[in-house]
Amino acid sequence: MSKGQPSVLLHLFLPRVIDTRRSTLEDPRFGGVEAGGTKVVCATGDASGSVRERTRIKTTTPEETLRAVVDFFEDRPLEAVGVGSFGPVDDNPDSPTYGFITNTPKNGWQHTDVRGPIQEALGVPVAFDLDVNAAALGEHHGGAGRDVDAFVYLTVGTGVGGSFMQSGRPLRGLLHPEIGHLRLPRASGDDFAGHCPFHGDCLEGLAAGPAIEARWGRSPADLPDDHPAWEVEAHYLGIAVANLACTLAPERVILGGGVMHRRQLFPMIRRVVRERLGGYLDHPRFTEHLDEFVTPAALGDENGVRGALAMARQAAQYDC
Ligand code: ZN
């Protein structure tokens, strides 16, 4: 062997490159998707439920958005994916259109197959549900619902949605519940027509973020804590919670979503709930301990993607 020439034999003793993406017990192995009307959050998580990586994608056309979702997951070793989507959706696994967004008012997304393209591209089981059911599942696993069996999760943001969870499963009937479209008695003197394209003054039409903005001419984020808007908001949310208490007798009603970042609403809502129930429901949680009955979401805006990851673990029959 001449001097200065690298030895080919040396290469035989070099360690082989190890594929660091290969799944091990410590590696991320589940994918979670929280598909919203303005953005989609994709994350990977491990078996403990911890989030490892995440990205945010702008919601544009279905083709472009779902392509970006697949691109994020494509080179990652996953066992299953969970998708929580804005709705309404077909959440019935026996239906031919399971995994579709159905009659949404969002342009271009009506009757769109969300689950199919992801499952086809990634080749792993893909669980699918409504976004609010995913968020409720997130709260069940590591949030404000972890110490109770039956609870309602209500989100108040660009819309109002709700889920009733019992033993870690959302209530399902012919369709998923549409708690946001309950009709409620009006606050005295309130003549706002409402903002729901279907019903005008349903709960969502009176209390979602866009309804607050339309009623007061200012974004909810710009309204001070002592603005009369919050009394009106607490009136409608308090009546909705009281109605849910009478209908389902949940152990807790958890309130999340952007509007509920205004924490001054919680004591106001509890006051309305107490007044509306009038002492009739005979349990200390409805009479003395309303602070344990009406609580904020513990995972904040994280609960959707955490729930989607839990759906993936269920789909892989890993735990839950
Ligand atoms: Zn409505």
Side-chain angles (χ1 to χ4, degrees):
M1 189 185 301
S2 67
K3 196 177 170 189
Q5 191 178 16
S7 164
V8 288
L9 287 174
L10 192 61
H11 290 283
L12 296 174
F13 299 101
L14 286 174
R16 295 182 65 189
V17 175
I18 295 165
D19 181 1
T20 53
R21 292 176 306 164
R22 198 173 299 281
S23 179
T24 69
L25 279 179
E26 288 76 40
D27 279 343
R29 53 170 65 191
F30 303 101
V33 180
E34 183 190 14
T38 54
K39 67 171 195 300
V40 177
V41 178
C42 297
T44 59
D46 60 24
S48 74
S50 298
V51 174
R52 292 295 189 88
E53 304 165 277
R54 75 170 63 228
T55 193
R56 177 193 271 230
I57 295 161
K58 192 172 174 344
T59 307
T60 56
T61 63
E63 297 73 27
E64 195 176 57
T65 310
L66 295 175
R67 182 70 248 166
V69 169
V70 167
D71 284 350
F72 173 74
F73 289 118
E74 207 150 40
D75 60 350
R76 288 165 169 83
L78 299 172
E79 296 194 10
V81 173
V83 179
S85 172
F86 73 92
V89 301
D90 185 341
D91 60 356
N92 176 2
D94 298 326
S95 160
T97 52
Y98 170 54
F100 279 55
I101 290 173
T102 58
N103 59 338
T104 176
K106 188 168 174 60
N107 277 338
W109 285 81
Q110 289 92 353
H111 309 288
T112 293
D113 185 4
V114 171
R115 178 180 169 274
I118 298 174
Q119 174 141 340
E120 215 164 278
L122 301 179
V124 295
V126 177
F128 181 87
D129 211 332
L130 186 65
D131 50 4
V132 69
N133 282 342
L137 190 64
E139 292 291 333
H140 165 74
H141 279 287
R146 68 183 179 280
D147 60 336
V148 290
D149 184 61
F151 69 91
V152 170
Y153 175 70
L154 203 60
T155 178
V156 189
T158 52
V160 177
S163 173
F164 177 66
M165 295 286 288
Q166 186 153 28
S167 307
R169 303 276 168 196
L171 177 74
R172 299 184 202 279
L174 294 174
L175 302 168
H176 50 72
E178 290 281 7
I179 295 172
H181 298 272
L182 289 173
R183 310 306 285 266
L184 307 165
R186 301 295 295 262
S188 77
D190 180 22
D191 57 2
F192 175 59
H195 204 64
C196 174
F198 292 90
H199 317 111
D201 63 349
C202 62
L203 172 60
E204 179 172 296
L206 291 169
I212 300 173
E213 185 160 352
R215 182 201 296 272
W216 301 100
R218 287 162 77 183
S219 161
D222 296 335
L223 295 171
D225 283 356
D226 59 356
H227 193 278
W230 303 118
E231 278 297 340
V232 175
E233 187 71 5
H235 170 87
Y236 291 118
L237 293 178
I239 293 174
V241 170
N243 287 351
L244 291 165
C246 293
T247 311
L248 298 160
E251 292 163 75
R252 182 162 294 152
V253 176
I254 300 166
L255 295 163
V259 171
M260 300 315 301
H261 291 175
R262 304 300 290 259
R263 291 303 165 90
Q264 82 276 9
L265 278 170
F266 282 87
M268 296 160 76
I269 292 168
R270 290 181 192 117
R271 194 186 63 235
V272 175
V273 173
R274 182 177 284 110
E275 284 165 10
R276 290 283 156 167
L277 292 180
Y280 179 67
L281 297 185
D282 189 16
H283 189 284
R285 197 166 284 193
F286 296 127
T287 50
E288 296 155 49
H289 303 297
L290 272 163
D291 54 329
E292 291 172 30
F293 180 61
V294 180
T295 72
L299 302 179
D301 298 331
E302 183 88 341
N303 54 21
V305 80
R306 293 270 291 268
L309 286 166
M311 286 162 57
R313 296 198 303 278
Q314 285 175 342
Q317 299 182 317
Y318 196 84
D319 66 3
C320 315

